[in-house]
Amino acid sequence: MSMQQEKQSLLGSAPIGKLMAKLALPSIVAQVINILYNIVDRIYIGHIEEGSSLALTGLGICFPIITLISAFSAFAGAGGAPLAAIELGKSEYDAKAKEKANEILGNVIIMIIGFSLVLSVFFYLFKEPILLAFGASENTLPFAKDYLEIYLIGTLFVQISIGLNPFISCQGFAKTAMASVIIGAVANIILDPIFIFGLNLGVRGAAFATIISQGISAIWIIRFLASKKSALPLSVKIVRFRPKIIGKISSLGISPFIMQSTESAIFVVFNSGLQKYGGDLYVGAMTIMQSIMQMCFVPLSGFTDGVQPILSYNYGAKKIDRVKDAIKKMLVISFSASIVMGVLVPLFPMQIARIFTSNIDLLLVTCQVLPIYFGAVWIFGIQMAAQRTFVGLGKAKTSLFIALLRKVILLIPLALILPNFIGVNGILWAEPIASTISAITSGIFLFFTYKELDKNQKNLQKL
């Protein structure tokens, strides 16, 4: 049995608990290390001797654009990888399924190249008015422009790193997928102080370090997918435009795209509102809190990402009992982890905020608003488990609705309306209110999805 066949066999036969640990732990490590691309930038920039708070705020203004670029990667990769995993599951009884999985990968590559060209040109041409609309002030705009001009050069590297790595993990090569992230992140950690302080490039140095690191990750990913180890061998012949396949990728990828792109819209609404009602310090505080939120939920996102190939493969292979077992375990672990984070973070706001800045004024504002912003962190694990289940099972419409509910239907309107009544705190209260309602709703949808799997299992047993 080849390595790729062995990986596929394990997805469909190994004990769920051990399989989750084997796939999820590398995914968690990869996700945690991946956030270091931006987190390390913020830590170094937040401790620049002169103008650190303005530089950190300027970098925070760029987040919506960086997030949107990543969202397009997720649109292609997170939409295509589950479909490819389902086809690999079907290959147990369908000889043509693996060929279909390869076609999915080829069309994701086409999407990634197209997105890279359009996004880099658009944001470069209109960077100044966009940054001003996103909450930049006269003081922070120069820092934001310096970072963004360099970052956009590496758009294709970002698209490849984020968009193609899921095609490694969906085959069961979780450690290889983790390695692709670790290589880039370690390079970023090494290069950041060299470019920021050693070459005295400041914010621009952080951007140079990031794109070089993403380039290294992209090369690693392409090399693996083009190797004999891959069940989805990358070659020029699979890169053929197929409108129907792109339509399927888009229908499933729209949910993770909205999850991330609306994050960009939220950054804009929050930053512009905080600038209006509070000023630069409140925008800086939001940059710190968003960093802390990433530190909390990226490991949990890594865990659910690691479980998704198990759901998709076994759903495609019609092994419903294994799908149900994976959902139950994922929900329990996700919910428990979010409760722990929801308790710990508000207890130590000053200690955590000091990681990102030594500016006393910024620290005081952050400690004042953090308990409000993190008020519903404890329940959010339910939504993360539910969202990943819907994507893993190919339930595009349900996943899309849940993505829209929290951010578009609830969070953005609340962040626009509440400040008119309670000032700057209204923007912060929007987060826990929206998170609570959407988590409860997604939990209800997950309950009915689980019941539907019960019904499917009984029908299969009758055959």
Side-chain angles (χ1 to χ4, degrees):
M1 183 183 290
S2 68
M3 184 180 292
Q4 58 182 245
Q5 289 173 327
E6 182 182 350
K7 292 291 183 183
Q8 288 179 236
S9 176
L10 288 173
L11 285 171
S13 61
I16 292 296
K18 291 182 179 179
L19 191 59
M20 286 174 69
K22 186 172 183 178
L23 296 182
L25 286 176
S27 180
I28 292 170
V29 173
Q31 293 263 18
V32 169
I33 293 173
N34 191 41
I35 67 169
L36 293 177
Y37 278 113
N38 290 321
I39 296 291
V40 170
D41 287 350
R42 296 167 214 171
I43 291 172
Y44 280 123
I45 289 170
H47 290 88
I48 293 174
E49 289 186 8
E50 294 184 10
S52 63
S53 63
L54 292 176
L56 185 62
T57 302
L59 185 58
I61 300 299
C62 294
F63 286 175
I65 297 174
I66 294 170
T67 302
L68 190 59
I69 290 172
S70 299
F72 277 95
S73 306
F75 180 72
L83 294 175
I86 291 172
E87 292 300 331
L88 289 175
K90 289 179 180 179
S91 67
E92 290 192 8
Y93 55 85
D94 183 352
K96 293 185 177 180
K98 191 170 287 189
E99 182 181 336
K100 293 177 182 177
N102 266 111
E103 289 183 339
I104 292 168
L105 173 58
N107 280 269
V108 165
I109 292 170
I110 292 171
M111 295 170 73
I112 281 174
I113 293 172
F115 290 154
S116 299
L117 291 172
V118 173
L119 290 169
S120 56
V121 171
F122 175 79
F123 283 118
Y124 188 84
L125 290 176
F126 302 103
K127 57 183 178 294
E128 188 164 332
I130 290 173
L131 289 170
L132 288 170
F134 285 7
S137 66
E138 183 180 337
N139 295 324
T140 59
L141 180 62
F143 294 101
K145 284 176 60 179
D146 282 349
Y147 187 87
L148 187 61
E149 285 174 350
I150 304 302
Y151 184 87
L152 290 174
I153 297 171
T155 301
L156 180 59
F157 299 149
V158 176
Q159 292 283 315
I160 292 173
S161 298
I162 299 174
L164 294 188
N165 208 33
F167 284 88
I168 298 178
S169 57
C170 82
Q171 300 176 47
F173 290 98
K175 290 182 180 179
T176 305
M178 175 185 71
S180 68
V181 177
I182 290 176
I183 289 170
V186 170
N188 192 47
I189 293 170
I190 294 170
L191 293 174
D192 254 336
I194 294 173
F195 280 94
I196 295 172
F197 301 112
L199 299 178
N200 200 30
L201 293 175
V203 171
R204 293 173 68 87
F208 273 120
T210 297
I211 64 170
I212 292 171
S213 304
Q214 290 282 17
I216 294 170
S217 290
I219 293 169
W220 170 273
I221 291 166
I222 291 171
R223 281 190 62 190
F224 175 83
L225 289 175
S227 72
K228 294 180 180 179
K229 294 180 181 179
S230 176
L232 301 169
L234 180 62
S235 65
V236 176
K237 66 181 181 180
I238 69 168
V239 185
R240 292 176 294 177
F241 182 70
R242 294 285 187 270
K244 287 185 179 180
I245 292 176
I246 287 182
K248 290 180 180 179
I249 294 168
S250 301
S251 67
L252 190 57
I254 192 68
S255 173
F257 173 77
I258 287 175
M259 287 287 285
Q260 291 196 32
S261 62
T262 49
E263 198 72 30
S264 178
I266 289 166
F267 287 157
V268 174
V269 172
F270 274 40
N271 286 345
S272 58
L274 290 169
Q275 184 66 246
K276 177 181 178 180
Y277 291 97
D280 285 338
L281 281 178
Y282 278 85
V283 178
M286 180 56 65
T287 301
I288 292 173
M289 290 192 296
Q290 287 164 345
S291 302
I292 297 170
M293 189 73 85
Q294 279 188 306
M295 290 170 64
C296 289
F297 280 106
V298 162
L300 194 49
S301 175
F303 167 71
T304 56
D305 278 354
V307 176
Q308 183 183 294
I310 303 172
L311 297 175
S312 299
Y313 185 93
N314 286 284
Y315 188 66
K318 299 181 180 179
K319 297 179 179 179
I320 304 301
D321 56 332
R322 291 175 60 78
V323 176
K324 288 165 55 184
D325 192 16
I327 291 172
K328 284 192 294 186
K329 287 182 169 64
M330 178 171 62
L331 179 61
V332 170
I333 293 171
S334 298
F335 188 31
S336 300
S338 65
I339 290 174
V340 171
M341 289 182 284
V343 171
L344 289 180
V345 173
L347 286 177
F348 305 101
M350 180 65 75
Q351 292 86 339
I352 298 173
R354 282 188 183 279
I355 297 172
F356 298 94
T357 185
S358 53
N359 183 292
I360 190 62
D361 293 327
L362 185 53
L363 282 170
L364 291 174
V365 171
T366 303
C367 292
Q368 175 189 337
V369 299
L370 186 145
I372 300 173
Y373 189 72
F374 278 74
V377 163
W378 65 274
I379 198 175
F380 199 62
I382 295 174
Q383 177 163 344
M384 294 191 74
Q387 193 79 31
R388 190 55 60 189
T389 297
F390 303 142
V391 172
L393 302 185
K395 295 184 175 295
K397 291 181 181 178
T398 306
S399 182
L400 175 59
F401 171 73
I402 295 299
L404 288 170
L405 176 65
R406 176 176 173 265
K407 296 181 178 180
V408 177
I409 299 174
L410 293 171
L411 186 54
I412 292 176
L414 286 170
L416 292 170
I417 295 168
L418 291 179
N420 294 304
F421 299 97
I422 54 176
V424 69
N425 282 346
I427 301 171
L428 302 161
W429 272 110
E431 172 67 33
I433 294 171
S435 293
T436 301
I437 295 172
S438 61
I440 292 171
T441 305
S442 61
I444 294 170
F445 274 88
L446 181 61
F447 173 80
F448 285 108
T449 298
Y450 193 86
K451 288 294 183 182
E452 183 183 335
L453 289 171
D454 269 334
K455 189 182 297 183
N456 291 345
Q457 185 178 22
K458 290 176 182 177
N459 291 335
L460 286 172
Q461 289 171 348
K462 291 177 182 178
L463 298 176

